[in-house]
Amino acid sequence: MSHKVELAPSGRASCRGCKKPIEKGSLRFGEEFQNPYSEDKGMSYRYWHLPCAATKLANELAPVLAAYDGEVPDRAPLDALVAQHMKPSMPFAEHAPNGRARCRACDESIAKGELRVAFERTFEGPMGPQKGATYAHAKCLPRYLGREKEQGREAPGPADLAREIEAHGGVGPEDLRAIREALGEPAGG
């Protein structure tokens, strides 16, 4: 994808985050996406105020903002906002910040504070394909991986998954040990 940071040429676009107009001449983030309404499935852009993009699309904004060679007003607070909202690469493990997510393997709620693993998924949204996270209890990882393979989706093997989670950080050694045990891997790894 060719996301971009640019000066707004007009004041017609509204921010996808806060829904307010993006003023002419202000910097905006352009999130490129495949336009489902285009006859040739062409690409289009969704526009965001930089602070709104920093909170919702920090991982996408960070490299584009780093490559932008123009002046960015209030750069230090914006960089801090991006850093605060950066998510680790998927798959990653974390303790659930709330109890709203459901496990994709057992379909039960993942309680607040419970260890879970996040996987990237692509789903069909109102504006075409979108990416988001799907979660599984650490104890349900074998069942989750089995279902992914049954449905013809690519899923890492247990050893590869454990290494990826460890490389992406987010949890301590005890949690990594619990994930390895759930995957049937040796505790030392």
Side-chain angles (χ1 to χ4, degrees):
M1 294 274 165
S2 279
H3 303 312
K4 61 185 177 180
V5 171
E6 66 180 7
L7 292 173
S10 71
R12 294 189 315 254
S14 291
C15 174
R16 296 285 297 186
C18 69
K19 310 297 185 220
K20 294 178 183 169
I22 300 171
E23 291 182 29
K24 179 179 180 176
S26 67
L27 281 179
R28 67 184 184 181
F29 174 64
E31 174 195 14
E32 188 178 38
F33 71 103
Q34 187 174 359
N35 186 345
Y37 303 109
S38 169
E39 289 181 19
D40 62 353
K41 300 291 183 200
M43 303 307 282
S44 192
Y45 287 94
R46 299 180 191 124
Y47 294 104
W48 300 73
H49 291 113
L50 293 181
C52 295
T55 60
K56 297 289 185 185
L57 300 170
N59 290 39
E60 291 83 356
L61 177 61
V64 178
L65 195 56
Y68 183 72
D69 56 3
E71 185 177 329
V72 179
D74 299 321
R75 180 67 183 249
L78 183 63
D79 286 340
L81 196 57
V82 169
Q84 177 185 352
H85 291 280
M86 289 285 287
K87 298 199 176 7
S89 298
M90 291 195 210
F92 66 89
E94 67 179 358
H95 289 273
N98 55 50
R100 295 191 313 239
R102 296 187 79 76
C103 176
R104 296 290 281 193
C106 70
D107 202 35
E108 293 179 15
S109 291
I110 301 173
K112 181 177 180 176
E114 191 170 2
L115 183 61
R116 69 182 187 183
V117 176
F119 296 90
E120 184 173 73
R121 71 180 178 113
T122 302
F123 60 94
E124 200 61 38
M127 293 299 292
Q130 297 183 346
K131 292 186 179 196
T134 189
Y135 302 97
H137 290 107
K139 65 185 178 198
C140 295
L141 287 173
R143 188 180 336 168
Y144 173 80
L145 295 175
R147 284 190 179 173
E148 290 296 292
K149 286 186 179 185
E150 284 173 9
Q151 294 177 1
R153 292 191 284 261
E154 193 173 317
D160 292 333
L161 177 59
R163 279 193 294 277
E164 285 183 52
I165 291 170
E166 185 172 13
H168 297 155
V171 293
E174 304 84 34
D175 292 326
L176 288 170
R177 196 169 14 263
I179 290 168
R180 287 187 181 282
E181 287 173 11
L183 291 167
E185 289 291 302

